[in-house]
Amino acid sequence: MTDAQETAADSSLRTTGGAPPDDVEPAPIPLLEPREGIPPVIADEEALAEAIAAFAAGTGPLAVDAERASGYRYGQRAYLVQLRREGAGTALIDPVACPDLSGLGEAVAGVEWVLHAATQDLPCLREIGMVPTRLFDTELAGRLAGFPRVGLGAMVESVLGFVLEKGHSAVDWSTRPLPEPWLRYAALDVELLVDLRDALEKELDRQGKLDWARQEFDAIASAPPAEPRKDPWRRTSGMHKVRRRRQLAVVRELWQTRDRIAQRRDVSPGKVLSDGAIVEAALSLPADVQALAALNGFGHRMGRRQLEQWQVAVDRAKALPDSALPQPGQPVTGPPPPRAWADKDPEAAARLSAARAAVSAVAEGLNMPQENLITPDTVRRVCWEPPKSVDVDSVGAALAGYGARAWQVEQVAPVLVEALTAKAP
């Protein structure tokens, strides 16, 4: 970071707000420009080998970003990987042409990776062989430091005093060749990521939260890949309208048929058939193709062959024996929904109400979102089944058992002790 950028970062981190005097014209915020221009996209093994050598020889943290084609393609694979490191500059890598980046991942394995909203990019990076052992998440750092807006553009502007170009975050990154304005946007995403990391580290240290952040980053880096979601069809938008088991079976059959087609064609499932159309068919239970074609989402632009494949799925669900129909609701592995607590267990409801108020007060005092102080699910679980002996040690052990980090236990356990002894009115 330059001296001017560091001065801007320090002043913006400590600003108290307020408008400038009427006679002072606010200085324009400069638009960020790539320091070395837009690098060529790496799309062959020879260029990749050169990049691996350059980044292995670089110094300091590694800025990392990835672009996906959400809403356009099936799954969440990476279609562009952006890297920047001191001494190596910026690299744009095409993971379609170079699908195995494990050699690059190994070359920078011991380096601290800097990402913004790391949990969004790590799954697609893991698929191509890039897994960090240490990381710094600038979005999470911003949350812990109390920034009201933690998007990358907002953070770069408020902390470093530069404006990032906007407008290409939701484009189809599977497009080939990628247009130059998109590549420029992608390169800028890692241009100041390490500078932002350095400024946020200073601010977290000033607030006494740097060790907390490091615990959070370590937890992200060491977390195993997420387990496949059970019954993903139950997350169909509008499912709350579907009550009967036969209708649930129609949703399941249509969802699974759509998923197979989307995977085969490598397109977003929503481009094959909308969630609204699936729910509409489940509620109507159409008797034939003509009835199906009359429903919203199956109309005039859908050919006879497509309609028939959806009707086959509906008919398959209608023909299932009762024993094969899905049960309503998902299997509950934790506490019931909080709205049901007052009837099921008034004492637990009183504990949860007191706990929420206590956690909210602590989070407000620390100037951070409640969900970053402690997850709502953890609070619910401890309130539903509190330790038999309620004290700081037992509550702390319960929190740690649900995955709370040491700093979270230290902040939350004392106030939960009092909340867990609350009585129903």
Side-chain angles (χ1 to χ4, degrees):
M1 187 187 300
T2 66
D3 291 343
Q5 289 171 354
E6 188 162 345
T7 301
D10 287 343
S11 62
S12 62
L13 283 166
R14 289 163 175 75
T15 185
T16 57
D22 293 338
D23 59 343
V24 176
E25 189 73 25
I29 300 176
L31 187 68
L32 185 61
E33 298 286 345
R35 279 173 262 194
E36 300 101 14
I38 304 172
V41 177
I42 295 169
D44 60 66
E45 293 303 319
E46 182 179 352
L48 178 60
E50 292 177 3
I52 291 174
F55 279 91
T59 59
L62 174 73
V64 184
D65 191 25
E67 305 294 348
R68 300 176 297 280
S70 304
Y72 297 94
R73 295 290 181 176
Y74 185 87
Q76 294 296 314
R77 67 171 295 183
Y79 283 94
L80 187 70
V81 174
Q82 306 100 281
L83 306 172
R84 184 174 180 85
R85 192 180 188 198
E86 187 69 30
T90 297
L92 304 178
I93 304 175
D94 180 357
V96 178
C98 302
D100 182 6
L101 298 186
S102 57
L104 175 59
E106 291 168 5
V108 293
V111 176
E112 180 189 82
W113 294 19
V114 184
L115 302 101
H116 193 80
T119 54
Q120 295 182 20
D121 287 340
L122 288 178
C124 71
L125 290 169
R126 182 180 284 112
E127 287 181 358
I128 53 179
M130 295 189 66
V131 183
T133 55
R134 295 190 296 134
L135 64 83
F136 189 106
D137 186 332
T138 50
E139 185 203 46
L140 181 52
R143 292 180 182 277
L144 296 175
F147 282 82
R149 297 167 59 224
V150 293
L152 180 59
M155 295 288 287
V156 166
E157 184 173 333
S158 63
V159 176
L160 301 178
F162 285 95
V163 174
L164 285 177
E165 288 188 1
K166 301 177 182 177
H168 301 303
S169 61
V171 299
D172 181 2
W173 288 96
S174 68
T175 300
R176 292 297 183 272
L178 287 164
E180 184 173 310
W182 298 12
L183 295 175
R184 174 190 177 87
Y185 165 91
L188 289 174
D189 270 359
V190 293
E191 184 80 15
L192 291 181
L193 208 49
V194 173
D195 296 355
L196 180 60
R197 171 234 179 272
D198 292 345
L200 289 172
E201 182 178 60
K202 288 183 180 180
E203 178 63 11
L204 288 167
D205 191 34
R206 187 184 72 82
Q207 294 186 21
K209 299 176 181 176
L210 183 55
D211 182 61
W212 302 357
R214 286 172 175 158
Q215 291 181 42
E216 293 299 296
F217 303 155
D218 288 346
I220 295 172
S222 61
E227 293 287 334
R229 192 181 297 275
K230 182 177 174 60
D231 291 345
W233 60 269
R234 291 185 182 271
R235 294 179 61 83
T236 303
S237 181
M239 276 290 288
H240 62 281
K241 303 175 187 176
V242 183
R243 306 285 184 178
R244 291 157 46 197
R245 293 176 64 198
R246 186 71 58 184
Q247 294 172 331
L248 290 172
V250 172
V251 172
R252 181 177 64 186
E253 291 295 333
L254 285 173
W255 190 98
Q256 291 175 344
T257 300
R258 179 184 71 173
D259 194 64
R260 287 192 295 270
I261 295 170
Q263 187 170 14
R264 185 178 71 245
R265 290 169 48 189
D266 190 19
V267 297
S268 169
K271 290 187 174 296
V272 176
L273 188 68
S274 70
D275 280 8
I278 290 177
V279 170
E280 188 83 7
L283 296 176
S284 301
L285 297 174
D288 51 35
V289 169
Q290 288 73 27
L292 181 69
L295 301 178
N296 290 332
F298 294 93
H300 58 285
R301 290 197 297 174
M302 190 172 288
R304 174 83 184 187
R305 186 173 169 184
Q306 290 176 295
L307 288 168
E308 286 176 348
Q309 72 181 359
W310 301 126
Q311 186 62 43
V312 166
V314 172
D315 292 342
R316 194 161 53 239
K318 291 165 69 175
L320 288 173
D322 288 351
S323 60
L325 297 178
Q327 294 296 328
Q330 298 190 58
V332 177
T333 57
R339 63 179 178 273
W341 286 30
D343 293 331
K344 291 180 176 290
D345 189 337
E347 296 291 340
R351 292 193 294 266
L352 181 61
S353 177
R356 284 173 164 172
V359 168
S360 176
V362 174
E364 185 175 347
L366 295 173
N367 191 27
M368 70 173 62
Q370 293 182 43
E371 62 269 20
N372 292 115
L373 173 61
I374 193 74
T375 67
D377 180 68
T378 297
V379 174
R380 285 194 295 269
R381 289 174 183 270
V382 172
C383 289
W384 185 251
E385 292 187 17
K388 291 181 179 179
S389 175
V390 176
D391 54 43
V392 170
D393 290 341
S394 62
V395 172
L399 292 172
Y402 292 123
R405 267 67 72 189
W407 76 270
Q408 295 175 314
V409 171
E410 182 181 358
Q411 296 297 319
V412 174
V415 300
L416 284 187
V417 168
E418 183 175 350
L420 292 175
T421 60
K423 298 296 182 183

